[in-house]
Amino acid sequence: MTSFELIKSLHMPAKTKIIHLVMDGLGGLPRDLDGKTELEAARTPHLDALAARSQLGLAVPVRPGITPGSGPAHLALFGYDPLEYDIGRGVLEALGIGFDLQPEDVAARGNFCTIDAQGRITDRRAGRIPTEFNQKLVPLLREIALPGIETFVETVKEYRFVLVLRPAAGQKLFANIADTDPQQLGVPSLPARALDAASESAAGLVNEWIAAARVILKDHSPANSLNLRGLAKDPGLPGFGDVYGLKAAAIATYPMYRGVAKLVGMEVLPVAGEAVEAEVETLRAHWDSYDYFFFHVKKTDSAGEDGDFERKVSVIEHVDEAVVPAILDLNPDVLVVTGDHSTPAALRSHSWHPVPTLLSSRYCRPDGIAEFGERACARGSLGVFPATDELPLALAYALRLNKYGA
Amino acid sequence: MTSFELIKSLHMPAKTKIIHLVMDGLGGLPRDLDGKTELEAARTPHLDALAARSQLGLAVPVRPGITPGSGPAHLALFGYDPLEYDIGRGVLEALGIGFDLQPEDVAARGNFCTIDAQGRITDRRAGRIPTEFNQKLVPLLREIALPGIETFVETVKEYRFVLVLRPAAGQKLFANIADTDPQQLGVPSLPARALDAASESAAGLVNEWIAAARVILKDHSPANSLNLRGLAKDPGLPGFGDVYGLKAAAIATYPMYRGVAKLVGMEVLPVAGEAVEAEVETLRAHWDSYDYFFFHVKKTDSAGEDGDFERKVSVIEHVDEAVVPAILDLNPDVLVVTGDHSTPAALRSHSWHPVPTLLSSRYCRPDGIAEFGERACARGSLGVFPATDELPLALAYALRLNKYGA
């Protein structure tokens, strides 16, 4: 029996409410080996007081040592093992720009590139052209027509764009298609090769589109050609309602997170702006209508990616002041505070470090550790645990799971 | 290689002895978030002194967040992953009343129910008839004869009974048969439908029995019909001797635990009464004859189920005084003290919380934590670990496992 089958067979109706507060890239590193991490350095009186009556631990998003992208990291938080449930790169790229992907759409990540007179790739990223140049090329590519297919081309940034093929209503396309990017210089692009018989027709359409695109681009050096990668469809993930018996809502301001939440079957709620205060307003306004709220804070990650230790500290302090008390006022039955992965300012990137996590419920055995930080969490009774355990644990503490066996 | 194959390939003969002291439902919750759990509140000088020279940890019976029934919880303690090894509900029900189930027996849990003139179920539990009423109906059902089959009908309690079909010697029955209980009101019972070809003949016999039973019951409203659920046979679990190379004995006073121990191939020892002192006497009397003793204490769980915090504390204190020193006097090579699951008085039921566990051996690295309790165990060096690890660990600390590989 898989863990989803297990949970599906045990969940029961309840009136309890769960909040999953996710500070993106929350985990950090000390600036000096004897110093504090961003979270430890932050002044967080509300989280510290909450920690004292909670259970703490460190969540491993994918596997020990594995640095996750945002897609896999969020799937794990939602209880989907990212090694089992894969969202294709084309789909993630489309979600990341807020594209309203439909179930039968085939999405690809596109890269402009530079080729020489013999068609051999000389720069796989077209000299990282400015986004403005990309925005001039994309309308030209939108002119390409494919028989019976609607196409969408959207700028991401610099040399990156998204291509989406949408079949006519009732028609299907399959997207098991190899990348055209040979991942090396001095050789031509590969054709979009179908990896199974069902994907032959989509591969044919993709090759037709690429041929037309290359004619259009040929005089636009350094972006005089392109490659497509990660061709994929909505993976049709088991839904939150089905697996967990939860009516789930997402409160997030960035397209990627709203998109992943939608893929797992959450309702994505409107937020008036990007501020966490606006997210809190959304939470309050919809409090009565859902069982589970995914509450996403983006700016911890952005600060980490920028290598800005102090700004990350400030974002955490602001969440402690503007979000945590407001959440506690709603009196959720279970509150989990965590991140999707670590983004230490010291690394200026996502990292593999496990993520400080706090679980609060009237049915927990408080660790009595009055601090929310990496080293505090390392002493907590949740131990070092897979992030995919968070949803089953939250359901249990919300008294939403029946007994297994007699 | 499965973990059983691994252990099987490594175990070696030894004269060392292991005791697995299981206080049923040991884990608890604080009465108030800043208070102590039952185990923490109990005065346990012997366990505390033992803890100081032991390793501590928290055992997860099934999976994080999953509340186990007694069957799965004990299988886990014995090293059998409960999601892989399933004891059918009919078998557990038969074991629970001490029925001497034979390998070819098919057992079902029976529920008396109420039907209307059209045969539609109006009460799935027959108004929870008193046990005395049940005891009057069961002898009537024992009169039903099936061709070539011995049948047994036994009262459990209230509306619940057990039906066992025993084929003639040398004959086999298969029990992959769906429940007759439609799990809703206003519809008739379902037939006992075979889910594979091999189970057709048993399903036919079961339907024949049900038809005769309904004729007998028709004037005994509210128990004027019945349903059968969880039809199952002894699952034929790999035996303790084979997997672990242990000559194992069970000391338990309640039928369910004696039954599960028998299913995994333990010898079930006689105990003169229900007191733990009698269990200690049994342990002493058979000390020389076995390598491994499962020593079960029931009353921690009963107190938890009754929501009686103080009584659970008293039971734990009594075990500390009457059982632990007696066990230590025997000088076992390995002593594991744990529970099968948590039963916090605060919840009046089994729960998902991991179980405080202590492992004592001359080869352990003592944690130096002079307290046996949930929060103490959360700081222990065994960490948060699957309960199925306890047997392999006990074997290792008893120097009963060879090296793996060169």
Side-chain angles (χ1 to χ4, degrees), chain A residues 1 6-7 10 361-366 381-383 389 392-393 396-397 399 401 403-406, chain B residues 28-29 33 64-72 82-83 92 342 347 352-354 374-375 378 384:
Chain A
M1 178 150 49
L6 177 64
I7 297 295
L10 297 178
S361 148
R362 64 168 287 203
Y363 298 113
C364 73
R365 297 169 178 156
S381 60
L382 296 176
D389 287 349
L393 284 172
Y397 282 92
L399 305 184
L401 293 180
K403 186 163 68 171
Y404 173 70
Chain B
L29 281 175
L33 271 184
I66 304 303
T67 297
S70 298
L83 297 190
L92 279 177
S342 294
L347 284 168
W352 63 93
H353 300 87
E374 284 81 352
R375 266 68 71 97
V384 181

